[in-house]
Amino acid sequence: NAGVMQNPRHLVRRRGQEARLRCSPMKGHSHVYWYRQLPEEGLKFMVYLQKENIIDESGMPKERFSAEFPKEGPSILRIQQVVRGDSAAYFCASSSGNQPQHFGDGTRLSIL
Amino acid sequence: EDQVTQSPEALRLQEGESSSLNCSYTVSGLRGLFWYRQDPGKGPEFLFTLYSAGEEKEKERLKATLTKKESFLHITAPKPEDSATYLCAVQAVRGGGADGLTFGKGTHLIIQP
């Protein structure tokens, strides 16, 4: 069952380090979305990508955060110089255009 | 700005006790309303998509309905395995129809044996 695969499942970083989160979409899906879930908060949309293109990054913080979905390989969400407030669960979803988004099981990021 | 409000925040039911979860929304043109189920430590699992007022979808003990302002998730004769957080999300009519979703905070449902 080739669902949305995210890794690592858990990631611990010290303040100032970089965090790299990876997402492989479901087979046949070319649309990838990243969401962040803070404790006691709902899922918040961050960015929507298609292969080699960022379609909508309206939910992405302007600094330190970037995302890519290269022609080959997984989508990457990169957080530079992490701070305590970046601690959250980061979820990736994929779809095939006008179809429901299917989610991975997330990466839990903890900042020491 | 699109908004989704879910109520109640938490609900505890006895096994077999039917109830409904509410999702109120405001959106600048609704493309679709989505219901997901999320178990602890897992990602949201897709349940239903509703596109227009009056539409209904059913799956086992769950039935989702949609009006112009809200959606309901009806749970009939629930079982303990129905315990989860149920999430409602909307997608607005913008761009090409594959945009990001706006989620509510969810209803945490507990079904006691």
Side-chain angles (χ1 to χ4, degrees), chain B residues 17-39:
Chain B
E17 181 183 0
S18 301
S19 188
S20 296
L21 313 183
N22 177 263
C23 170
S24 298
Y25 65 91
T26 55
V27 63
S28 54
L30 179 71
R31 181 173 293 280
L33 184 140
F34 302 83
W35 282 98
Y36 288 84
R37 167 194 171 126
Q38 186 174 25
D39 292 297

mmCIF file with all atom_site columns, all heavy atoms in Angstrom, chain B residues 17-39:
data_model
loop_
_atom_site.group_PDB
_atom_site.id
_atom_site.type_symbol
_atom_site.label_atom_id
_atom_site.label_alt_id
_atom_site.label_comp_id
_atom_site.label_asym_id
_atom_site.label_entity_id
_atom_site.label_seq_id
_atom_site.pdbx_PDB_ins_code
_atom_site.Cartn_x
_atom_site.Cartn_y
_atom_site.Cartn_z
_atom_site.occupancy
_atom_site.B_iso_or_equiv
_atom_site.pdbx_formal_charge
_atom_site.auth_seq_id
_atom_site.auth_comp_id
_atom_site.auth_asym_id
_atom_site.auth_atom_id
_atom_site.pdbx_PDB_model_num
ATOM 1   N N   . GLU B 1 17 ? -24.803 5.201  21.520 1.00 0.00 ? 17 GLU B N   1
ATOM 2   C CA  . GLU B 1 17 ? -25.486 6.486  21.689 1.00 0.00 ? 17 GLU B CA  1
ATOM 3   C C   . GLU B 1 17 ? -25.174 7.386  20.497 1.00 0.00 ? 17 GLU B C   1
ATOM 4   O O   . GLU B 1 17 ? -24.064 7.911  20.360 1.00 0.00 ? 17 GLU B O   1
ATOM 5   C CB  . GLU B 1 17 ? -25.022 7.146  22.989 1.00 0.00 ? 17 GLU B CB  1
ATOM 6   C CG  . GLU B 1 17 ? -25.679 8.470  23.280 1.00 0.00 ? 17 GLU B CG  1
ATOM 7   C CD  . GLU B 1 17 ? -25.120 9.122  24.542 1.00 0.00 ? 17 GLU B CD  1
ATOM 8   O OE1 . GLU B 1 17 ? -24.217 8.538  25.179 1.00 0.00 ? 17 GLU B OE1 1
ATOM 9   O OE2 . GLU B 1 17 ? -25.571 10.234 24.861 1.00 0.00 ? 17 GLU B OE2 1
ATOM 10  N N   . SER B 1 18 ? -26.144 7.613  19.652 1.00 0.00 ? 18 SER B N   1
ATOM 11  C CA  . SER B 1 18 ? -25.946 8.395  18.427 1.00 0.00 ? 18 SER B CA  1
ATOM 12  C C   . SER B 1 18 ? -25.834 9.879  18.742 1.00 0.00 ? 18 SER B C   1
ATOM 13  O O   . SER B 1 18 ? -26.410 10.374 19.728 1.00 0.00 ? 18 SER B O   1
ATOM 14  C CB  . SER B 1 18 ? -27.107 8.160  17.462 1.00 0.00 ? 18 SER B CB  1
ATOM 15  O OG  . SER B 1 18 ? -27.208 6.774  17.126 1.00 0.00 ? 18 SER B OG  1
ATOM 16  N N   . SER B 1 19 ? -25.100 10.621 17.883 1.00 0.00 ? 19 SER B N   1
ATOM 17  C CA  . SER B 1 19 ? -24.942 12.061 18.070 1.00 0.00 ? 19 SER B CA  1
ATOM 18  C C   . SER B 1 19 ? -24.465 12.695 16.763 1.00 0.00 ? 19 SER B C   1
ATOM 19  O O   . SER B 1 19 ? -24.287 12.004 15.750 1.00 0.00 ? 19 SER B O   1
ATOM 20  C CB  . SER B 1 19 ? -23.937 12.336 19.199 1.00 0.00 ? 19 SER B CB  1
ATOM 21  O OG  . SER B 1 19 ? -23.917 13.717 19.518 1.00 0.00 ? 19 SER B OG  1
ATOM 22  N N   . SER B 1 20 ? -24.292 14.009 16.810 1.00 0.00 ? 20 SER B N   1
ATOM 23  C CA  . SER B 1 20 ? -23.833 14.746 15.630 1.00 0.00 ? 20 SER B CA  1
ATOM 24  C C   . SER B 1 20 ? -22.740 15.720 15.993 1.00 0.00 ? 20 SER B C   1
ATOM 25  O O   . SER B 1 20 ? -22.768 16.335 17.071 1.00 0.00 ? 20 SER B O   1
ATOM 26  C CB  . SER B 1 20 ? -25.002 15.520 14.999 1.00 0.00 ? 20 SER B CB  1
ATOM 27  O OG  . SER B 1 20 ? -25.995 14.639 14.527 1.00 0.00 ? 20 SER B OG  1
ATOM 28  N N   . LEU B 1 21 ? -21.782 15.870 15.084 1.00 0.00 ? 21 LEU B N   1
ATOM 29  C CA  . LEU B 1 21 ? -20.721 16.861 15.215 1.00 0.00 ? 21 LEU B CA  1
ATOM 30  C C   . LEU B 1 21 ? -20.998 17.978 14.219 1.00 0.00 ? 21 LEU B C   1
ATOM 31  O O   . LEU B 1 21 ? -21.438 17.716 13.096 1.00 0.00 ? 21 LEU B O   1
ATOM 32  C CB  . LEU B 1 21 ? -19.355 16.238 14.923 1.00 0.00 ? 21 LEU B CB  1
ATOM 33  C CG  . LEU B 1 21 ? -19.034 14.901 15.580 1.00 0.00 ? 21 LEU B CG  1
ATOM 34  C CD1 . LEU B 1 21 ? -17.614 14.473 15.231 1.00 0.00 ? 21 LEU B CD1 1
ATOM 35  C CD2 . LEU B 1 21 ? -19.242 14.969 17.070 1.00 0.00 ? 21 LEU B CD2 1
ATOM 36  N N   . ASN B 1 22 ? -20.697 19.215 14.632 1.00 0.00 ? 22 ASN B N   1
ATOM 37  C CA  . ASN B 1 22 ? -21.005 20.369 13.793 1.00 0.00 ? 22 ASN B CA  1
ATOM 38  C C   . ASN B 1 22 ? -19.746 21.018 13.228 1.00 0.00 ? 22 ASN B C   1
ATOM 39  O O   . ASN B 1 22 ? -18.704 21.080 13.896 1.00 0.00 ? 22 ASN B O   1
ATOM 40  C CB  . ASN B 1 22 ? -21.795 21.396 14.603 1.00 0.00 ? 22 ASN B CB  1
ATOM 41  C CG  . ASN B 1 22 ? -22.073 22.656 13.802 1.00 0.00 ? 22 ASN B CG  1
ATOM 42  O OD1 . ASN B 1 22 ? -21.362 23.648 13.914 1.00 0.00 ? 22 ASN B OD1 1
ATOM 43  N ND2 . ASN B 1 22 ? -23.091 22.606 12.965 1.00 0.00 ? 22 ASN B ND2 1
ATOM 44  N N   . CYS B 1 23 ? -19.858 21.502 12.009 1.00 0.00 ? 23 CYS B N   1
ATOM 45  C CA  . CYS B 1 23 ? -18.773 22.250 11.374 1.00 0.00 ? 23 CYS B CA  1
ATOM 46  C C   . CYS B 1 23 ? -19.396 23.467 10.691 1.00 0.00 ? 23 CYS B C   1
ATOM 47  O O   . CYS B 1 23 ? -20.122 23.313 9.709  1.00 0.00 ? 23 CYS B O   1
ATOM 48  C CB  . CYS B 1 23 ? -18.061 21.370 10.349 1.00 0.00 ? 23 CYS B CB  1
ATOM 49  S SG  . CYS B 1 23 ? -16.883 22.249 9.287  1.00 0.00 ? 23 CYS B SG  1
ATOM 50  N N   . SER B 1 24 ? -19.122 24.656 11.228 1.00 0.00 ? 24 SER B N   1
ATOM 51  C CA  . SER B 1 24 ? -19.605 25.893 10.615 1.00 0.00 ? 24 SER B CA  1
ATOM 52  C C   . SER B 1 24 ? -18.466 26.523 9.823  1.00 0.00 ? 24 SER B C   1
ATOM 53  O O   . SER B 1 24 ? -17.321 26.518 10.284 1.00 0.00 ? 24 SER B O   1
ATOM 54  C CB  . SER B 1 24 ? -20.076 26.870 11.697 1.00 0.00 ? 24 SER B CB  1
ATOM 55  O OG  . SER B 1 24 ? -21.155 26.329 12.415 1.00 0.00 ? 24 SER B OG  1
ATOM 56  N N   . TYR B 1 25 ? -18.788 27.065 8.666  1.00 0.00 ? 25 TYR B N   1
ATOM 57  C CA  . TYR B 1 25 ? -17.713 27.602 7.834  1.00 0.00 ? 25 TYR B CA  1
ATOM 58  C C   . TYR B 1 25 ? -18.103 28.907 7.161  1.00 0.00 ? 25 TYR B C   1
ATOM 59  O O   . TYR B 1 25 ? -19.284 29.185 6.926  1.00 0.00 ? 25 TYR B O   1
ATOM 60  C CB  . TYR B 1 25 ? -17.310 26.570 6.767  1.00 0.00 ? 25 TYR B CB  1
ATOM 61  C CG  . TYR B 1 25 ? -18.393 26.258 5.758  1.00 0.00 ? 25 TYR B CG  1
ATOM 62  C CD1 . TYR B 1 25 ? -18.494 26.974 4.575  1.00 0.00 ? 25 TYR B CD1 1
ATOM 63  C CD2 . TYR B 1 25 ? -19.323 25.235 5.992  1.00 0.00 ? 25 TYR B CD2 1
ATOM 64  C CE1 . TYR B 1 25 ? -19.487 26.693 3.648  1.00 0.00 ? 25 TYR B CE1 1
ATOM 65  C CE2 . TYR B 1 25 ? -20.316 24.951 5.070  1.00 0.00 ? 25 TYR B CE2 1
ATOM 66  C CZ  . TYR B 1 25 ? -20.388 25.683 3.907  1.00 0.00 ? 25 TYR B CZ  1
ATOM 67  O OH  . TYR B 1 25 ? -21.386 25.404 2.997  1.00 0.00 ? 25 TYR B OH  1
ATOM 68  N N   . THR B 1 26 ? -17.100 29.712 6.895  1.00 0.00 ? 26 THR B N   1
ATOM 69  C CA  . THR B 1 26 ? -17.250 30.873 6.023  1.00 0.00 ? 26 THR B CA  1
ATOM 70  C C   . THR B 1 26 ? -16.103 30.797 5.016  1.00 0.00 ? 26 THR B C   1
ATOM 71  O O   . THR B 1 26 ? -14.944 30.610 5.379  1.00 0.00 ? 26 THR B O   1
ATOM 72  C CB  . THR B 1 26 ? -17.177 32.204 6.797  1.00 0.00 ? 26 THR B CB  1
ATOM 73  O OG1 . THR B 1 26 ? -15.957 32.240 7.544  1.00 0.00 ? 26 THR B OG1 1
ATOM 74  C CG2 . THR B 1 26 ? -18.344 32.352 7.744  1.00 0.00 ? 26 THR B CG2 1
ATOM 75  N N   . VAL B 1 27 ? -16.465 30.911 3.760  1.00 0.00 ? 27 VAL B N   1
ATOM 76  C CA  . VAL B 1 27 ? -15.467 30.779 2.706  1.00 0.00 ? 27 VAL B CA  1
ATOM 77  C C   . VAL B 1 27 ? -15.916 31.600 1.516  1.00 0.00 ? 27 VAL B C   1
ATOM 78  O O   . VAL B 1 27 ? -17.113 31.732 1.240  1.00 0.00 ? 27 VAL B O   1
ATOM 79  C CB  . VAL B 1 27 ? -15.283 29.294 2.328  1.00 0.00 ? 27 VAL B CB  1
ATOM 80  C CG1 . VAL B 1 27 ? -16.550 28.691 1.753  1.00 0.00 ? 27 VAL B CG1 1
ATOM 81  C CG2 . VAL B 1 27 ? -14.110 29.096 1.379  1.00 0.00 ? 27 VAL B CG2 1
ATOM 82  N N   . SER B 1 28 ? -14.970 32.145 0.797  1.00 0.00 ? 28 SER B N   1
ATOM 83  C CA  . SER B 1 28 ? -15.283 32.960 -0.372 1.00 0.00 ? 28 SER B CA  1
ATOM 84  C C   . SER B 1 28 ? -15.529 32.059 -1.571 1.00 0.00 ? 28 SER B C   1
ATOM 85  O O   . SER B 1 28 ? -14.719 32.010 -2.501 1.00 0.00 ? 28 SER B O   1
ATOM 86  C CB  . SER B 1 28 ? -14.124 33.911 -0.651 1.00 0.00 ? 28 SER B CB  1
ATOM 87  O OG  . SER B 1 28 ? -12.920 33.169 -0.755 1.00 0.00 ? 28 SER B OG  1
ATOM 88  N N   . GLY B 1 29 ? -16.637 31.332 -1.552 1.00 0.00 ? 29 GLY B N   1
ATOM 89  C CA  . GLY B 1 29 ? -16.946 30.389 -2.616 1.00 0.00 ? 29 GLY B CA  1
ATOM 90  C C   . GLY B 1 29 ? -16.416 29.011 -2.262 1.00 0.00 ? 29 GLY B C   1
ATOM 91  O O   . GLY B 1 29 ? -15.212 28.802 -2.212 1.00 0.00 ? 29 GLY B O   1
ATOM 92  N N   . LEU B 1 30 ? -17.327 28.078 -2.012 1.00 0.00 ? 30 LEU B N   1
ATOM 93  C CA  . LEU B 1 30 ? -16.919 26.748 -1.552 1.00 0.00 ? 30 LEU B CA  1
ATOM 94  C C   . LEU B 1 30 ? -16.698 25.830 -2.738 1.00 0.00 ? 30 LEU B C   1
ATOM 95  O O   . LEU B 1 30 ? -17.593 25.609 -3.558 1.00 0.00 ? 30 LEU B O   1
ATOM 96  C CB  . LEU B 1 30 ? -17.995 26.155 -0.637 1.00 0.00 ? 30 LEU B CB  1
ATOM 97  C CG  . LEU B 1 30 ? -17.695 24.754 -0.096 1.00 0.00 ? 30 LEU B CG  1
ATOM 98  C CD1 . LEU B 1 30 ? -16.574 24.810 0.942  1.00 0.00 ? 30 LEU B CD1 1
ATOM 99  C CD2 . LEU B 1 30 ? -18.951 24.122 0.508  1.00 0.00 ? 30 LEU B CD2 1
ATOM 100 N N   . ARG B 1 31 ? -15.485 25.290 -2.813 1.00 0.00 ? 31 ARG B N   1
ATOM 101 C CA  . ARG B 1 31 ? -15.233 24.257 -3.816 1.00 0.00 ? 31 ARG B CA  1
ATOM 102 C C   . ARG B 1 31 ? -15.551 22.891 -3.242 1.00 0.00 ? 31 ARG B C   1
ATOM 103 O O   . ARG B 1 31 ? -16.136 22.050 -3.920 1.00 0.00 ? 31 ARG B O   1
ATOM 104 C CB  . ARG B 1 31 ? -13.777 24.283 -4.281 1.00 0.00 ? 31 ARG B CB  1
ATOM 105 C CG  . ARG B 1 31 ? -13.460 23.233 -5.338 1.00 0.00 ? 31 ARG B CG  1
ATOM 106 C CD  . ARG B 1 31 ? -12.075 23.391 -5.891 1.00 0.00 ? 31 ARG B CD  1
ATOM 107 N NE  . ARG B 1 31 ? -11.917 24.609 -6.655 1.00 0.00 ? 31 ARG B NE  1
ATOM 108 C CZ  . ARG B 1 31 ? -12.310 24.767 -7.920 1.00 0.00 ? 31 ARG B CZ  1
ATOM 109 N NH1 . ARG B 1 31 ? -12.909 23.790 -8.546 1.00 0.00 ? 31 ARG B NH1 1
ATOM 110 N NH2 . ARG B 1 31 ? -12.108 25.905 -8.539 1.00 0.00 ? 31 ARG B NH2 1
ATOM 111 N N   . GLY B 1 32 ? -15.191 22.669 -1.965 1.00 0.00 ? 32 GLY B N   1
ATOM 112 C CA  . GLY B 1 32 ? -15.475 21.379 -1.344 1.00 0.00 ? 32 GLY B CA  1
ATOM 113 C C   . GLY B 1 32 ? -15.306 21.454 0.164  1.00 0.00 ? 32 GLY B C   1
ATOM 114 O O   . GLY B 1 32 ? -14.525 22.275 0.662  1.00 0.00 ? 32 GLY B O   1
ATOM 115 N N   . LEU B 1 33 ? -16.068 20.633 0.869  1.00 0.00 ? 33 LEU B N   1
ATOM 116 C CA  . LEU B 1 33 ? -15.922 20.495 2.316  1.00 0.00 ? 33 LEU B CA  1
ATOM 117 C C   . LEU B 1 33 ? -15.530 19.060 2.600  1.00 0.00 ? 33 LEU B C   1
ATOM 118 O O   . LEU B 1 33 ? -16.113 18.123 2.030  1.00 0.00 ? 33 LEU B O   1
ATOM 119 C CB  . LEU B 1 33 ? -17.225 20.855 3.043  1.00 0.00 ? 33 LEU B CB  1
ATOM 120 C CG  . LEU B 1 33 ? -17.132 20.834 4.584  1.00 0.00 ? 33 LEU B CG  1
ATOM 121 C CD1 . LEU B 1 33 ? -17.911 21.990 5.190  1.00 0.00 ? 33 LEU B CD1 1
ATOM 122 C CD2 . LEU B 1 33 ? -17.573 19.511 5.162  1.00 0.00 ? 33 LEU B CD2 1
ATOM 123 N N   . PHE B 1 34 ? -14.533 18.890 3.453  1.00 0.00 ? 34 PHE B N   1
ATOM 124 C CA  . PHE B 1 34 ? -13.929 17.581 3.677  1.00 0.00 ? 34 PHE B CA  1
ATOM 125 C C   . PHE B 1 34 ? -14.031 17.200 5.148  1.00 0.00 ? 34 PHE B C   1
ATOM 126 O O   . PHE B 1 34 ? -13.852 18.031 6.029  1.00 0.00 ? 34 PHE B O   1
ATOM 127 C CB  . PHE B 1 34 ? -12.448 17.601 3.276  1.00 0.00 ? 34 PHE B CB  1
ATOM 128 C CG  . PHE B 1 34 ? -12.221 18.002 1.851  1.00 0.00 ? 34 PHE B CG  1
ATOM 129 C CD1 . PHE B 1 34 ? -12.191 19.338 1.483  1.00 0.00 ? 34 PHE B CD1 1
ATOM 130 C CD2 . PHE B 1 34 ? -12.036 17.048 0.874  1.00 0.00 ? 34 PHE B CD2 1
ATOM 131 C CE1 . PHE B 1 34 ? -11.995 19.718 0.169  1.00 0.00 ? 34 PHE B CE1 1
ATOM 132 C CE2 . PHE B 1 34 ? -11.828 17.413 -0.455 1.00 0.00 ? 34 PHE B CE2 1
ATOM 133 C CZ  . PHE B 1 34 ? -11.807 18.745 -0.805 1.00 0.00 ? 34 PHE B CZ  1
ATOM 134 N N   . TRP B 1 35 ? -14.268 15.924 5.390  1.00 0.00 ? 35 TRP B N   1
ATOM 135 C CA  . TRP B 1 35 ? -14.195 15.358 6.740  1.00 0.00 ? 35 TRP B CA  1
ATOM 136 C C   . TRP B 1 35 ? -13.058 14.341 6.776  1.00 0.00 ? 35 TRP B C   1
ATOM 137 O O   . TRP B 1 35 ? -12.925 13.496 5.882  1.00 0.00 ? 35 TRP B O   1
ATOM 138 C CB  . TRP B 1 35 ? -15.507 14.672 7.126  1.00 0.00 ? 35 TRP B CB  1
ATOM 139 C CG  . TRP B 1 35 ? -16.597 15.617 7.529  1.00 0.00 ? 35 TRP B CG  1
ATOM 140 C CD1 . TRP B 1 35 ? -17.623 16.075 6.761  1.00 0.00 ? 35 TRP B CD1 1
ATOM 141 C CD2 . TRP B 1 35 ? -16.777 16.208 8.826  1.00 0.00 ? 35 TRP B CD2 1
ATOM 142 N NE1 . TRP B 1 35 ? -18.439 16.916 7.497  1.00 0.00 ? 35 TRP B NE1 1
ATOM 143 C CE2 . TRP B 1 35 ? -17.940 17.015 8.764  1.00 0.00 ? 35 TRP B CE2 1
ATOM 144 C CE3 . TRP B 1 35 ? -16.088 16.136 10.039 1.00 0.00 ? 35 TRP B CE3 1
ATOM 145 C CZ2 . TRP B 1 35 ? -18.424 17.744 9.855  1.00 0.00 ? 35 TRP B CZ2 1
ATOM 146 C CZ3 . TRP B 1 35 ? -16.560 16.850 11.126 1.00 0.00 ? 35 TRP B CZ3 1
ATOM 147 C CH2 . TRP B 1 35 ? -17.714 17.652 11.035 1.00 0.00 ? 35 TRP B CH2 1
ATOM 148 N N   . TYR B 1 36 ? -12.262 14.469 7.836  1.00 0.00 ? 36 TYR B N   1
ATOM 149 C CA  . TYR B 1 36 ? -11.162 13.541 8.084  1.00 0.00 ? 36 TYR B CA  1
ATOM 150 C C   . TYR B 1 36 ? -11.286 13.005 9.498  1.00 0.00 ? 36 TYR B C   1
ATOM 151 O O   . TYR B 1 36 ? -11.829 13.657 10.384 1.00 0.00 ? 36 TYR B O   1
ATOM 152 C CB  . TYR B 1 36 ? -9.802  14.245 7.950  1.00 0.00 ? 36 TYR B CB  1
ATOM 153 C CG  . TYR B 1 36 ? -9.383  14.597 6.550  1.00 0.00 ? 36 TYR B CG  1
ATOM 154 C CD1 . TYR B 1 36 ? -9.819  15.766 5.944  1.00 0.00 ? 36 TYR B CD1 1
ATOM 155 C CD2 . TYR B 1 36 ? -8.527  13.766 5.831  1.00 0.00 ? 36 TYR B CD2 1
ATOM 156 C CE1 . TYR B 1 36 ? -9.417  16.104 4.660  1.00 0.00 ? 36 TYR B CE1 1
ATOM 157 C CE2 . TYR B 1 36 ? -8.109  14.093 4.552  1.00 0.00 ? 36 TYR B CE2 1
ATOM 158 C CZ  . TYR B 1 36 ? -8.564  15.264 3.979  1.00 0.00 ? 36 TYR B CZ  1
ATOM 159 O OH  . TYR B 1 36 ? -8.156  15.584 2.706  1.00 0.00 ? 36 TYR B OH  1
ATOM 160 N N   . ARG B 1 37 ? -10.686 11.851 9.700  1.00 0.00 ? 37 ARG B N   1
ATOM 161 C CA  . ARG B 1 37 ? -10.559 11.266 11.038 1.00 0.00 ? 37 ARG B CA  1
ATOM 162 C C   . ARG B 1 37 ? -9.073  11.203 11.363 1.00 0.00 ? 37 ARG B C   1
ATOM 163 O O   . ARG B 1 37 ? -8.248  10.829 10.520 1.00 0.00 ? 37 ARG B O   1
ATOM 164 C CB  . ARG B 1 37 ? -11.147 9.855  11.011 1.00 0.00 ? 37 ARG B CB  1
ATOM 165 C CG  . ARG B 1 37 ? -10.815 9.024  12.224 1.00 0.00 ? 37 ARG B CG  1
ATOM 166 C CD  . ARG B 1 37 ? -11.122 7.563  12.030 1.00 0.00 ? 37 ARG B CD  1
ATOM 167 N NE  . ARG B 1 37 ? -10.585 6.813  13.147 1.00 0.00 ? 37 ARG B NE  1
ATOM 168 C CZ  . ARG B 1 37 ? -11.288 5.986  13.891 1.00 0.00 ? 37 ARG B CZ  1
ATOM 169 N NH1 . ARG B 1 37 ? -12.571 5.759  13.610 1.00 0.00 ? 37 ARG B NH1 1
ATOM 170 N NH2 . ARG B 1 37 ? -10.721 5.350  14.891 1.00 0.00 ? 37 ARG B NH2 1
ATOM 171 N N   . GLN B 1 38 ? -8.696  11.598 12.597 1.00 0.00 ? 38 GLN B N   1
ATOM 172 C CA  . GLN B 1 38 ? -7.294  11.536 12.991 1.00 0.00 ? 38 GLN B CA  1
ATOM 173 C C   . GLN B 1 38 ? -7.162  10.774 14.304 1.00 0.00 ? 38 GLN B C   1
ATOM 174 O O   . GLN B 1 38 ? -7.769  11.157 15.311 1.00 0.00 ? 38 GLN B O   1
ATOM 175 C CB  . GLN B 1 38 ? -6.687  12.937 13.122 1.00 0.00 ? 38 GLN B CB  1
ATOM 176 C CG  . GLN B 1 38 ? -5.184  12.913 13.382 1.00 0.00 ? 38 GLN B CG  1
ATOM 177 C CD  . GLN B 1 38 ? -4.557  14.296 13.365 1.00 0.00 ? 38 GLN B CD  1
ATOM 178 O OE1 . GLN B 1 38 ? -5.210  15.303 13.606 1.00 0.00 ? 38 GLN B OE1 1
ATOM 179 N NE2 . GLN B 1 38 ? -3.261  14.350 13.067 1.00 0.00 ? 38 GLN B NE2 1
ATOM 180 N N   . ASP B 1 39 ? -6.369  9.715  14.279 1.00 0.00 ? 39 ASP B N   1
ATOM 181 C CA  . ASP B 1 39 ? -6.051  8.955  15.484 1.00 0.00 ? 39 ASP B CA  1
ATOM 182 C C   . ASP B 1 39 ? -4.748  9.486  16.078 1.00 0.00 ? 39 ASP B C   1
ATOM 183 O O   . ASP B 1 39 ? -3.909  10.046 15.351 1.00 0.00 ? 39 ASP B O   1
ATOM 184 C CB  . ASP B 1 39 ? -5.918  7.466  15.158 1.00 0.00 ? 39 ASP B CB  1
ATOM 185 C CG  . ASP B 1 39 ? -7.257  6.872  14.761 1.00 0.00 ? 39 ASP B CG  1
ATOM 186 O OD1 . ASP B 1 39 ? -8.165  6.873  15.600 1.00 0.00 ? 39 ASP B OD1 1
ATOM 187 O OD2 . ASP B 1 39 ? -7.403  6.448  13.600 1.00 0.00 ? 39 ASP B OD2 1
#
